[in-house]
Amino acid sequence: MTSTDSAAQQAPAKDPWDLPDVSGLVVGVIGGTGPQGKGLAYRLAAAGQKVIIGSRAADRARAVADEIGHGVEGADNAETARRSDVVIVAVPWEGHGDTLTSLREELSGKLVVDCVNPLGFDKKGAYALKPEEGSAAEQAAALLPDSRVTAAFHHLSAVLLGDPEIAEIDTDVMVLGEVRADVEIVQALAGRIAGMRGVFAGRLRNAHQVESLVANLISVNRRYKAHAGLRVTDV
């Protein structure tokens, strides 16, 4: 058999939209009592996902979980990490490093989805910060060597996520990561939310650009009184 014959018999390229069934996964949200985390928890739970929200105070997490409904549970951050298959990190940038360091053991072996945007604010508006590691996601990967770190959900409006009157959120979610199977799980989770798609956007070394774009969206939203998101054309 020639090399040409061998190539002809190779399996066709995988369809990039052939994503796994993630409906049975438990999703934890660290920082789930904040606007972004709470909104993501609500949307995923409303789509039928099992969701646990975490907080430094378990009582606070349980109270917010009761507000969300849809079977969402609340626990402290450590228990949330232990009980979840996929853990979304939605904490403020200022507490990002300390939070992840404190949960290194509980997050070992877990698929971690970092959606934190390192931003500063002054009288001119929002501007991007660049962590020493390059991005929040790369900082997470450095602090969690035994976890599978991805990055996603950066450009979503907390206002839209938390509004039950809005049935669909018309946006794409940029997903970054090192392992295709992990990225596809996160893409599939994004696709569980009505109106959303998860789109592969590169490896973690490209996360800074994605995180930084939020500063531009904040400027758009302030000027046009909007809740802007992103759509990727021709895919």
Side-chain angles (χ1 to χ4, degrees), residues 206-221:
N206 293 320
H208 173 66
Q209 300 95 290
V210 173
E211 296 168 2
S212 299
L213 187 58
V214 175
N216 302 90
L217 291 177
I218 289 172
S219 297
V220 170
N221 291 336

Side-chain angles (χ1 to χ4, degrees), residues 98-224:
D98 289 343
T99 299
L100 295 184
T101 298
S102 71
L103 296 172
R104 182 176 294 159
E105 181 178 348
E106 290 82 1
L107 291 171
S108 177
K110 306 288 183 175
L111 175 53
V112 174
V113 187
D114 200 296
C115 68
V116 175
N117 302 304
L119 297 177
F121 295 86
D122 60 19
K123 62 183 179 181
K124 294 183 179 180
Y127 59 94
L129 303 174
K130 189 160 188 179
E132 181 180 348
E133 298 84 355
S135 64
E138 289 170 294
Q139 182 183 87
L143 294 173
L144 304 173
D146 298 320
S147 302
R148 296 138 53 208
V149 175
T150 59
F153 301 117
H154 301 90
H155 306 135
L156 306 181
S157 163
V159 173
L160 298 185
L161 286 172
D163 188 344
E165 298 300 314
I166 296 175
E168 296 188 0
I169 300 180
D170 180 25
T171 194
D172 286 332
V173 173
M174 305 291 96
V175 185
L176 303 98
E178 301 301 317
V179 179
R180 180 166 183 163
D182 292 338
V183 169
E184 290 181 345
I185 288 172
V186 182
Q187 287 182 264
L189 282 173
R192 298 272 285 163
I193 300 174
M196 287 191 195
R197 296 186 309 171
V199 179
F200 173 63
R203 295 178 178 268
L204 290 185
R205 68 181 183 180
N206 293 320
H208 173 66
Q209 300 95 290
V210 173
E211 296 168 2
S212 299
L213 187 58
V214 175
N216 302 90
L217 291 177
I218 289 172
S219 297
V220 170
N221 291 336
R222 287 181 173 174
R223 174 64 60 90
Y224 298 102

